[in-house]
Amino acid sequence: MKKLKSIDYVMIVLLVALVSALIVLPGKGHGKHVPFDAPHQTIYDGLKDGRNQAETELVCMTCHGKSSSPLPTNHPPKEQCLICHLLA
């Protein structure tokens, strides 16, 4: 049986680090959950009725634009709400 070289150990460590990062850092759901309350009911109803995600996210900007519940200044781009904010 062959003995492992130092480059083999480096590759094993990199592989374990990559797999760990993919498990620990999922690409979805880093924001708060969308509350299941009256103001957000139209979002849940729209998705249940068959509207796609892009059409449903337009509803978010009616309240979370610059009017009643504005987003924080450090908030990322707001065109894709349901990528980060999962439904309850």
Side-chain angles (χ1 to χ4, degrees):
M1 185 170 153
K2 277 185 158 181
K3 189 174 180 181
L4 292 177
K5 297 178 185 177
S6 61
I7 190 72
D8 295 330
Y9 289 114
V10 171
M11 294 305 285
I12 290 171
V13 168
L14 289 175
L15 181 65
V16 168
L18 176 66
V19 170
S20 300
L22 291 174
I23 292 171
V24 173
L25 302 172
K28 189 171 185 175
H30 291 293
K32 297 177 184 177
H33 287 291
V34 177
F36 192 72
D37 56 3
H40 295 94
Q41 190 63 43
T42 55
I43 295 168
Y44 287 96
D45 291 343
L47 290 173
K48 190 172 100 176
D49 292 342
R51 261 190 269 152
N52 65 22
Q53 184 174 334
E55 293 172 341
T56 305
E57 288 167 343
L58 294 174
V59 176
C60 300
M61 286 296 100
T62 58
C63 294
H64 292 291
K66 295 183 179 182
S67 59
S68 61
S69 299
L71 297 172
T73 55
N74 61 349
H75 194 276
K78 18 190 174 319
E79 295 83 24
Q80 300 174 338
C81 306
L82 298 178
I83 289 177
C84 293
H85 299 282
L86 302 177
L87 300 175

